[in-house]
Amino acid sequence: MMVQGWIVLVGSVVAVLADLDQTLLPTETKELMVALHKNCVDHLGVTEAQVNQLKAGVFTEDVKLKCYTRCLMSESGVMDENGAIDIKAFSEILPESIRGTTRNVFDSCAQTNKDIADECVKAYEVIQCWYKQNPESYFMI
């Protein structure tokens, strides 16, 4: 289940950050992404409207939204219990067609923001960086 969790988180992060062609993802990955999204929305109280803004690359200073991104990353295994980002876990859930560029941008953003202590802020800054550096590869769920 942890491997599926990775897929969900990474897929979630990727789907949230861009309008990824989700037909590239396996059915079980898409189902896990939906479940992870629902869990994080329910747990944190963010609205679908807030998540839709995030999907569109509109970043607002909202604590719940920042923690939503952390929830997606931690539940999927992309962010560990210490707040470190696992690039390998992230890249393993990406479709092969976008893996190289997306992985490199995400890794660069993770390195740039690695010293941020607050995990919610770190996750949010990483995805915001990803959007700024390469909006074509950005997606969120």
Side-chain angles (χ1 to χ4, degrees):
M1 186 65 180
M2 185 58 165
V3 172
Q4 288 178 338
W6 286 4
I7 294 172
V8 172
L9 175 58
V10 174
S12 298
V13 171
V14 174
V16 171
L17 299 178
D19 288 326
L20 172 71
D21 180 2
Q22 294 188 13
T23 60
L24 299 173
L25 300 172
T27 301
E28 53 189 34
T29 300
K30 288 185 271 189
E31 290 171 357
L32 288 170
M33 287 169 54
V34 168
L36 181 61
H37 165 77
K38 182 177 179 347
N39 178 54
C40 292
V41 165
D42 291 349
H43 177 71
L44 295 163
V46 295
T47 66
E48 292 297 332
Q50 289 173 301
V51 173
N52 287 336
Q53 283 189 319
L54 188 60
K55 288 179 182 180
V58 177
F59 298 90
T60 59
E61 288 300 315
D62 184 286
V63 173
K64 288 182 182 179
L65 198 54
K66 290 177 181 183
C67 288
Y68 170 79
T69 61
R70 186 216 32 90
C71 180
L72 292 175
M73 287 188 186
S74 65
E75 292 296 318
S76 67
V78 173
M79 181 179 276
D80 71 16
E81 64 276 358
N82 298 316
I85 295 179
D86 185 339
I87 297 303
K88 183 178 179 192
F90 177 75
S91 65
E92 287 177 358
I93 62 168
L94 296 172
E96 187 68 40
S97 62
I98 65 165
R99 187 172 291 163
T101 300
T102 303
R103 180 190 187 281
N104 291 342
V105 170
F106 195 82
D107 186 29
S108 171
C109 291
Q111 291 302 315
T112 299
N113 294 287
K114 69 180 179 187
D115 294 329
I116 297 173
D118 184 307
E119 292 178 15
C120 294
V121 173
K122 180 188 289 185
Y124 199 72
E125 290 298 320
V126 168
I127 65 157
Q128 189 171 12
C129 171
W130 176 12
Y131 179 79
K132 287 178 180 176
Q133 284 194 20
N134 195 331
E136 298 81 27
S137 72
Y138 173 83
F139 63 94
M140 273 307 271
I141 61 164

